[in-house]
Amino acid sequence: MPIRPILEYPHIALRQKAKKVRKIDRSTLVLADDLIDTLYDAGGVGLAANQIGVLRRVIAIQLPEEEPRVYVNPEITYREGERDVEEGCLSVPGYHAIVTRAILIKAKGLDRQSKLVRLRAEGLLAQVLEHEIDHLNGILYLDHLESHQDLIPNQTSSVEVEGIGV
């Protein structure tokens, strides 16, 4: 599948609400595969369809050492607690910030076979689900900051330790 260009802030598609997928057909499955391949190539953990210019409610998640997942029409049905986490975005390269996310979420969506999936998530999975579902609603992690001055430039380093710049 082709690797698609990832749109960067302030591209207008990142601010638009994605449309619900009425039927998981071949075009939806191709989109899902493209999201996974693009996410893998970019080295991220989550990607929403609007980040590649497609206004459909589809996300891909690739947590470390797990198989990639795709959710169609995902939505968060419950949030519990708050925690501050470091977050970045493939559509806002070069920066990260501390944002407030839920400790626990419950979410639902469809898998590739149109089967309803219910999730109870904590930690990184909860954070990624909140982040990517925000994207589908035209919300960027920047919107959770009091000021864009809260953005922290990423450090670049020529030394790599287990894939993490130090």
Side-chain angles (χ1 to χ4, degrees):
M1 296 295 143
I3 294 167
R4 308 250 199 124
I6 296 174
L7 303 179
E8 294 183 6
Y9 176 79
H11 195 285
I12 192 167
L14 298 172
R15 293 301 194 177
Q16 294 177 316
K17 190 169 181 175
K19 293 177 177 32
K20 186 174 184 174
V21 173
R22 299 285 175 210
K23 180 182 178 190
I24 298 178
D25 57 14
R26 185 175 175 345
S27 69
T28 305
L29 297 175
V30 167
L31 172 60
D33 289 339
D34 289 356
L35 282 168
I36 290 168
D37 291 345
T38 302
L39 178 59
Y40 179 78
D41 182 69
V45 292
L47 192 65
N50 8 7
Q51 290 180 272
I52 60 170
V54 179
L55 295 176
R56 297 175 70 195
R57 296 187 76 79
V58 181
I59 63 172
I61 295 175
Q62 173 71 66
L63 297 183
E65 300 180 28
E66 289 188 14
E67 291 297 313
R69 314 169 188 211
V70 171
Y71 298 109
V72 177
N73 299 329
E75 59 183 88
I76 294 172
T77 58
Y78 175 81
R79 286 181 172 87
E80 183 178 297
E82 289 185 344
R83 65 191 177 111
D84 291 335
V85 293
E86 188 173 313
E87 197 159 296
C89 180
L90 295 171
S91 290
V92 186
Y95 295 92
H96 64 279
I98 303 299
V99 297
T100 301
R101 295 288 185 190
I103 293 172
L104 169 108
I105 68 161
K106 292 181 182 177
K108 66 180 181 177
L110 301 175
D111 67 10
R112 296 171 68 102
Q113 291 77 36
S114 301
K115 180 182 172 197
L116 179 64
V117 176
R118 294 188 185 277
L119 300 161
R120 181 183 188 280
E122 297 177 287
L124 183 58
L125 179 57
Q127 181 181 350
V128 174
L129 283 164
E130 281 189 288
H131 181 105
E132 299 311 326
I133 292 170
D134 272 358
H135 270 300
L136 297 178
N137 293 317
I139 299 168
L140 298 173
Y141 84 100
L142 306 173
D143 301 327
H144 294 283
L145 305 177
E146 285 190 33
S147 163
H148 284 184
Q149 292 182 348
D150 292 336
L151 285 171
I152 304 163
N154 292 341
Q155 297 292 325
T156 56
S157 171
S158 59
V159 179
E160 290 285 326
V161 178
E162 295 183 26
I164 300 173
V166 293

